[in-house]
Amino acid sequence: MAVSSGEGKATPDRHVASQRAGEQGLLFETQVSAPPEDVGYRGPTACAAAGITYRQLDYWARTGLVTPSVRPAHGSGSQRLYSFRDILVLKVVKRLLDTGVSLQQIRTAVTHLRDRGVQDLARITLMSDGVSVYECTSADEVVDLVQGGQGVFGIALGRVWQEVEGTLAELPAERAEPDAMGPTGHPHDELAHRRRARRTG
């Protein structure tokens, strides 16, 4: 996964490679803000944001490729809740699959991404030649791969982050734990309970 950057010499070939990387949107420097960790999204919402089918989502959860980190399913009827980060990874998995990368390589990439902090993820560009997946954390590494011809396909995670963020802004989310002031603990419920107690007391 890791890629060592080259000498960084400004050769004509390097300049062309840098231009190509820029045109493909592989050099992504914009800062992103981390969403709250206790906010989760149900399966259908995760599918819509990642561009996958529910069958894929279910299969990847059951095989441990991408599991819901906010709330896993517990028995029949329970709702999985996926975090923003989970959905980001789901979208990356879909893109890698679409380019013909093997599931084994994708599993390696996903395991590697799990070890990264949220802000680190946004700075990563994944490059693939259709066989292997390479992780780049600097513009030099991206340019080296483009120049060497290894990076046939690339995904700037910061760009995917923005796409997911834009989609989720219009979709329903929920907190992982019910609010203490939810339906059973609502002040109006408590007031009604006191009134009933007064009437029957």
Side-chain angles (χ1 to χ4, degrees), residues 44-62:
T45 302
C47 290
I52 60 174
T53 65
Y54 196 84
R55 180 177 287 185
Q56 285 175 310
L57 183 81
D58 188 54
Y59 178 70
W60 295 346
R62 284 189 287 108

Side-chain angles (χ1 to χ4, degrees), residues 195-201:
R195 282 179 185 150
R196 280 196 299 274
R198 201 178 298 132
R199 278 201 299 270
T200 56

Side-chain angles (χ1 to χ4, degrees), residues 75-158:
S76 179
S78 65
Q79 290 285 343
R80 297 184 187 124
L81 280 185
Y82 287 83
S83 69
F84 179 93
R85 180 195 179 112
D86 297 336
I87 296 172
L88 179 76
V89 173
L90 286 168
K91 196 171 178 80
V92 169
V93 169
K94 170 72 163 59
R95 292 213 175 157
L96 290 172
L97 274 176
D98 286 348
T99 57
V101 178
S102 74
L103 207 53
Q104 186 179 356
Q105 280 291 329
I106 291 172
R107 280 188 185 280
T108 305
V110 168
T111 303
H112 198 72
L113 293 178
R114 275 197 201 113
D115 298 333
R116 294 294 192 153
V118 174
Q119 287 298 332
D120 289 339
L121 281 178
R123 289 194 288 266
I124 291 172
T125 294
L126 292 180
M127 303 285 287
S128 176
D129 53 10
V131 180
S132 300
V133 180
Y134 307 90
E135 177 196 288
C136 302
T137 54
S138 73
D140 274 345
E141 290 175 348
V142 172
V143 172
D144 285 342
L145 278 176
V146 172
Q147 189 178 15
Q150 290 162 287
V152 175
F153 172 79
I155 306 170
L157 266 63

Side-chain angles (χ1 to χ4, degrees), residues 152-169:
V152 175
F153 172 79
I155 306 170
L157 266 63
R159 193 170 295 283
V160 179
W161 184 299
Q162 284 196 330
E163 289 171 13
V164 172
E165 201 170 44
T167 307
L168 287 177

